[in-house]
Amino acid sequence: MHTTHDLSREDCARLLNAGVAGRVAVGTPTGPHIVPVNYAVDGESILIRTTAYSLLGTYGRGAQLCFEVDQFDYELKRGWSVVVRGRGSFVDDQDELGEIARHWEPRPWATGQRNLVVRIPWTEVTGRQLGGGWDPWEHLPVQRLA
């Protein structure tokens, strides 16, 4: 059995900035849903592109959202997880959208128009690592450098 330890906010930020895909939890009238998403980081916010008719587009504005990204090594039984909680908002200011597009906008893998950008601020950030003596950064399958 491995021990777990909390990741610092800096370690969480480093892992969030390196990632490409995660999951968002959103509450709906029929109960909570977990939605896999591609994302980008803008300062201390998660950005997600979606449609106005998606679960996030329908229920995300003003809602308390939870975003999670993780990685596990099943063979060595170790891994890490970072969770961000914050109140979702929609980015609709054209200047802000232009600024996001110039830096690193979210690039969905799924086809179709996704013109709505959802922002989840890092109001609360927590992270945990299972197993010591290894650096999660060195074992990322993808490292976003820009």
Side-chain angles (χ1 to χ4, degrees), residues 118-138:
V118 178
R119 178 184 298 278
I120 306 171
W122 299 2
T123 305
E124 184 181 325
V125 180
T126 58
R128 294 180 63 182
Q129 179 177 331
L130 177 63
W134 68 285
D135 183 356
W137 177 261
E138 293 177 5

Side-chain angles (χ1 to χ4, degrees), residues 3 15 28 34 59 62 90 121 139:
T3 59
L15 291 167
T28 73
I34 307 262
Y59 301 108
F90 296 168
H139 295 87

Side-chain angles (χ1 to χ4, degrees), residues 7-9 11-17 22-23 39 46 66-72 79-85 122 124-129 136:
L7 296 172
S8 69
R9 187 174 179 100
D11 286 337
C12 290
R14 186 177 184 202
L15 291 167
L16 285 164
N17 275 289
R23 289 163 290 289
Y39 74 99
I46 300 295
C66 189
F67 174 83
E68 192 257 354
V69 62
D70 59 29
Q71 181 186 358
F72 296 98
W80 58 268
S81 174
V82 175
V83 174
V84 169
R85 288 175 19 117
W122 299 2
E124 184 181 325
V125 180
T126 58
R128 294 180 63 182
Q129 179 177 331

Side-chain angles (χ1 to χ4, degrees), residues 82-96:
V82 175
V83 174
V84 169
R85 288 175 19 117
R87 193 154 305 279
S89 63
F90 296 168
V91 180
D92 48 22
D93 178 79
Q94 292 304 311
D95 291 335
E96 188 176 0

Side-chain angles (χ1 to χ4, degrees), residues 22-74:
R23 289 163 290 289
V24 175
V26 59
T28 73
T30 61
H33 288 265
I34 307 262
V35 181
V37 295
N38 298 95
Y39 74 99
V41 173
D42 179 35
E44 291 196 353
S45 293
I46 300 295
L47 299 176
I48 300 159
R49 291 184 71 109
T50 190
T51 69
Y53 307 107
S54 67
L55 289 170
L56 282 175
T58 303
Y59 301 108
R61 178 176 278 177
Q64 188 70 18
L65 300 175
C66 189
F67 174 83
E68 192 257 354
V69 62
D70 59 29
Q71 181 186 358
F72 296 98
D73 182 328
Y74 296 102

